[in-house]
Amino acid sequence: MSKPAADFILGIDIGGTNTVFGLVNEAGKIHNKGHLPTEHFLKPEDLIKSILDVLQSWKKQGLINTMPQLAGIGAPNAGMPDSIIDNPPNLKWKGKIPFGKLFTEITGINCVLTNDANASALGELHYGSRRKIKNFVYVTLGTGLGCGIVMNGELVTGINGFAGELGHTIIMQHGRMCGCGRRGCLEQYCSANGLVKSYLEILKNSGSEIYQNVINDPPDAEGICSRALAGDEAAFYSFKYTGELLGLALANSVAYTSPEAVFLAGGLSDSGELLMAPLIQSFERNLFHPYKSTVKLMRASFDAKESAILGAAALAKKELIIV
Amino acid sequence: MSKPAADFILGIDIGGTNTVFGLVNEAGKIHNKGHLPTEHFLKPEDLIKSILDVLQSWKKQGLINTMPQLAGIGAPNAGMPDSIIDNPPNLKWKGKIPFGKLFTEITGINCVLTNDANASALGELHYGSRRKIKNFVYVTLGTGLGCGIVMNGELVTGINGFAGELGHTIIMQHGRMCGCGRRGCLEQYCSANGLVKSYLEILKNSGSEIYQNVINDPPDAEGICSRALAGDEAAFYSFKYTGELLGLALANSVAYTSPEAVFLAGGLSDSGELLMAPLIQSFERNLFHPYKSTVKLMRASFDAKESAILGAAALAKKELIIV
């Protein structure tokens, strides 16, 4: 097995359930992948120490020659200018966490932080299979809905690093309560959690007896997918509802930056035709005519977490290596 | 009176009702303004010939020393790459009009075309009173709703010149029919025409006897403003409805590019507190928390048409002068 040299960059994706990381080489290949259960670490320092332990064990085992010197980190609610994770709703850690500072203090590795969806978008930009596309909207459908926007080959960050928060645009006035304190945000409808809520709502409103069976222990998105494939109409319709709303939201998103592509990634995007059929139909129907011939809706090149590892490493290379 | 030299650039704003133009100097002052009634010209060639007539009359009268050599033109549905006006819903001319080519053939003046709202946004960027702001969303509330987005001091054009079409994002599924062939576009609600439709709807739904009096000859936006100030509750509520929807739409628009400001211009934005009170309240209430401290909603520096003349001229200077 090849041994990553010192110029390999550590890419890390911190998710609500799992943290995944790997050493990324110049060509965008990930060597020595690792993963840790984020939710088991009560303090961010403990997660960082465990990542360091894994790296050191790789070195002891001879899997790497030297420790990495640079790291890029994608995390929910992470801002680039000050490397802080700010009140992440899907993590146990609360408040403004100076994650970048803690990481460098504990590991000695210089690092840069960005929002997890932005990191995934950067992975697509730098290492995706359609790298000639330099203008796109990248959407991850996971527990929530993340988004990164790329224009002219650059990530759109806005003046505070929080551009592209498509998941927190309000699509339903007086709609479902969101973790951000407002109602009707897109991610309350178009995400794995949103799908579960829609399924329960549809069951309840239809007076189905299944409702009483599932209300105390509802299936997750994968479970609803299995149910839909097995003929559960409410499950089927909850995918249709999700796809139609998402198609409209993505068609609207095109009106801002007039991109060449909208890329989809994340677990829910693996649901096949159940989601994609209503989604593509709604996207095409709701697209403003000047965009019809220029924009394509398609699957991203990588799994969202792999893309985030790649993109975070690419960001570290760009931001931290002084040429 | 000072005489514009050859380096004055002609700025033109083509609107559904009027076409206004002027010679813009280096400092962004407009000399020798002219205006023509767009809707009286059955062919674009006739409008262009009349603009040329006005310029020649200025020269004969000694108001200018030489004819301008460059022109920037803002027009509805105009795209920059090919200088075409594409099926403008608010103009009488139909189809794809090669306006830039016609203009240069008839006048001998080299020109560049852009969308009217983009031109206004460029006027704000280059000559506005808050020129240190380089990241903003610019919205014109006229007959329709136009929008231009500026990022890092550059107009966002997207890959086909049609970025920033906020007026054609769908905010109401199965909503009001739009000239673009779809239903529920923002400009069907938040524009002078949208306000009139809301007023009539509110009157009709409330069973008011005013409805029968106005249905055949409805007041325009200014008329509804006067009625609201005179105590017409339906008129007052139609402004409230418009402001609330617009506040939500503008708060959502912030999530894409995380700008420093949202600028408002156009006739309807002159309606004072009737519109601004519900608009600002809704904008603040619907804003995602990371943007609350960074973005401001404010009036633009100039009237939208003046801003378009200035911005079109600035674009011509940028695109046509080879340094």
Side-chain angles (χ1 to χ4, degrees):
Chain A
M1 186 175 178
S2 68
K3 294 183 183 181
D7 58 356
F8 272 59
I9 296 174
L10 177 61
I12 305 175
D13 177 70
I14 300 176
T17 311
N18 282 305
T19 291
V20 293
F21 51 98
L23 293 170
V24 180
N25 75 3
E26 190 71 24
K29 293 283 169 225
I30 305 176
H31 289 245
N32 303 77
K33 275 191 200 175
H35 57 93
L36 292 162
T38 318
E39 54 196 357
H40 289 193
F41 299 94
L42 297 179
K43 292 193 299 179
E45 290 89 335
D46 297 339
L47 171 65
I48 296 168
K49 281 176 196 157
S50 289
I51 293 173
L52 182 62
D53 288 346
V54 173
L55 293 173
Q56 284 170 338
S57 79
W58 286 347
K59 187 152 181 286
K60 271 187 199 149
Q61 293 169 57
L63 294 173
I64 54 175
N65 292 327
T66 56
M67 292 291 277
Q69 292 174 0
L70 301 175
I73 304 167
N77 284 36
M80 213 165 56
D82 47 7
S83 287
I84 274 175
I85 298 178
D86 189 0
N87 282 296
N90 299 326
L91 299 182
K92 285 190 176 161
W93 319 324
K94 298 301 164 206
K96 282 183 190 289
I97 304 149
F99 197 91
K101 192 166 160 277
L102 293 173
F103 188 86
T104 302
E105 277 172 9
I106 293 169
T107 64
I109 300 171
N110 207 355
C111 74
V112 61
L113 245 80
T114 191
N115 173 283
D116 45 2
N118 283 351
S120 297
L122 287 173
E124 185 70 39
L125 174 68
H126 291 288
Y127 302 113
S129 56
R130 303 175 204 89
R131 285 197 296 280
K132 69 176 196 300
I133 297 181
K134 303 292 186 198
N135 291 278
F136 60 83
V137 174
Y138 184 101
V139 172
T140 60
L141 301 171
T143 315
L145 184 149
C147 173
I149 301 175
V150 170
M151 267 180 54
N152 302 324
E154 296 281 340
L155 188 68
V156 175
T157 57
I159 59 153
N160 61 356
F162 278 98
E165 285 285 355
L166 184 54
H168 290 285
T169 53
I170 294 173
I171 61 151
M172 206 76 80
Q173 276 188 288
H174 321 295
R176 295 177 188 164
M177 196 67 212
C178 181
C180 75
R182 300 170 310 151
R183 284 187 176 274
C185 288
L186 180 63
E187 81 167 8
Q188 291 304 315
Y189 297 83
C190 301
S191 65
N193 278 350
L195 179 81
V196 175
K197 288 180 186 174
S198 297
Y199 180 59
L200 294 176
E201 260 181 32
I202 291 164
L203 283 176
K204 192 177 178 189
N205 293 340
S206 68
S208 163
E209 57 196 29
I210 304 174
Y211 183 68
Q212 291 306 330
N213 300 335
V214 299
I215 182 64
N216 292 321
D217 185 20
D220 62 6
E222 276 183 59
I224 297 171
C225 186
S226 305
R227 284 167 178 253
L229 294 172
D232 178 338
E233 275 191 36
F236 179 83
Y237 190 71
S238 63
F239 271 103
K240 187 164 183 284
Y241 180 68
T242 305
E244 283 179 355
L245 284 178
L246 185 59
L248 172 59
L250 295 182
N252 278 344
S253 80
V254 167
Y256 290 86
T257 57
S258 182
E260 282 171 89
V262 176
F263 288 115
L264 278 184
L268 191 61
S269 74
D270 295 328
S271 315
E273 285 303 294
L274 276 174
L275 182 75
M276 293 308 284
L279 169 55
I280 290 171
Q281 204 177 48
S282 163
F283 181 75
E284 294 291 339
R285 188 177 65 241
N286 288 307
L287 210 53
F288 183 38
H289 62 79
Y291 309 127
K292 282 197 190 284
S293 57
T294 55
V295 67
K296 285 185 185 64
L297 176 63
M298 47 186 150
R299 297 292 303 279
S301 305
F302 312 105
D303 158 85
K305 287 188 160 290
E306 185 170 345
S307 208
I309 293 175
L310 292 170
L315 183 67
K317 189 173 152 190
K318 183 174 171 235
E319 297 287 322
L320 301 176
I321 297 179
I322 296 149
V323 186
Chain B
M1 189 177 180
S2 69
K3 294 183 185 181
D7 57 357
F8 272 59
I9 295 173
L10 177 61
I12 304 176
D13 177 70
I14 300 176
T17 311
N18 283 304
T19 292
V20 293
F21 52 99
L23 294 169
V24 180
N25 75 3
E26 190 72 25
K29 293 285 168 225
I30 304 177
H31 289 246
N32 303 75
K33 274 192 201 173
H35 58 92
L36 291 163
T38 318
E39 53 196 357
H40 289 194
F41 299 94
L42 297 180
K43 291 193 298 180
E45 289 89 335
D46 297 339
L47 172 66
I48 296 169
K49 282 174 197 159
S50 290
I51 294 173
L52 181 62
D53 287 346
V54 173
L55 294 174
Q56 285 170 338
S57 78
W58 286 348
K59 187 152 180 286
K60 273 188 198 149
Q61 293 168 56
L63 296 172
I64 54 174
N65 292 327
T66 56
M67 293 289 277
Q69 293 174 0
L70 301 176
I73 304 168
N77 284 38
M80 214 165 55
D82 46 8
S83 286
I84 274 175
I85 299 179
D86 189 0
N87 282 296
N90 298 327
L91 299 182
K92 285 190 177 160
W93 319 323
K94 299 300 164 205
K96 282 184 191 286
I97 304 150
F99 197 90
K101 193 166 158 276
L102 293 173
F103 187 86
T104 301
E105 277 172 9
I106 294 169
T107 64
I109 301 170
N110 206 355
C111 74
V112 62
L113 246 81
T114 190
N115 174 283
D116 46 1
N118 283 352
S120 297
L122 286 174
E124 185 70 41
L125 174 69
H126 291 288
Y127 302 114
S129 55
R130 304 176 204 88
R131 284 197 296 281
K132 66 176 198 302
I133 298 182
K134 303 291 187 199
N135 291 278
F136 61 83
V137 174
Y138 184 101
V139 172
T140 61
L141 300 172
T143 314
L145 184 150
C147 173
I149 301 174
V150 170
M151 267 180 54
N152 302 325
E154 298 280 341
L155 189 68
V156 175
T157 57
I159 59 151
N160 60 356
F162 278 98
E165 285 286 353
L166 184 53
H168 290 283
T169 53
I170 294 173
I171 61 151
M172 206 75 78
Q173 276 188 288
H174 322 295
R176 296 178 188 163
M177 196 67 212
C178 182
C180 75
R182 301 170 308 152
R183 285 187 175 275
C185 288
L186 179 63
E187 81 167 9
Q188 291 304 315
Y189 297 84
C190 301
S191 65
N193 278 350
L195 179 80
V196 175
K197 288 180 185 172
S198 297
Y199 180 58
L200 294 176
E201 260 182 34
I202 290 163
L203 283 176
K204 192 178 179 189
N205 293 340
S206 68
S208 164
E209 57 196 29
I210 304 174
Y211 183 68
Q212 291 306 330
N213 299 335
V214 299
I215 181 64
N216 292 320
D217 185 21
D220 62 6
E222 275 183 59
I224 297 171
C225 185
S226 305
R227 283 166 180 255
L229 294 173
D232 177 340
E233 275 189 39
F236 178 83
Y237 190 70
S238 62
F239 272 102
K240 188 165 182 287
Y241 180 68
T242 305
E244 282 177 357
L245 284 178
L246 185 60
L248 172 58
L250 296 181
N252 278 345
S253 80
V254 167
Y256 290 85
T257 58
S258 182
E260 282 172 88
V262 177
F263 289 116
L264 277 185
L268 192 62
S269 74
D270 295 329
S271 313
E273 284 304 295
L274 276 174
L275 182 74
M276 292 308 285
L279 169 55
I280 291 171
Q281 204 177 47
S282 164
F283 180 75
E284 294 292 338
R285 187 177 66 242
N286 288 307
L287 211 54
F288 183 39
H289 62 78
Y291 308 127
K292 281 197 190 286
S293 57
T294 56
V295 67
K296 284 185 186 65
L297 176 62
M298 48 187 148
R299 298 292 301 279
S301 305
F302 312 104
D303 158 84
K305 287 190 158 287
E306 186 170 343
S307 208
I309 292 175
L310 292 169
L315 183 68
K317 187 173 152 190
K318 182 175 171 237
E319 296 288 323
L320 302 176
I321 296 178
I322 295 147
V323 187

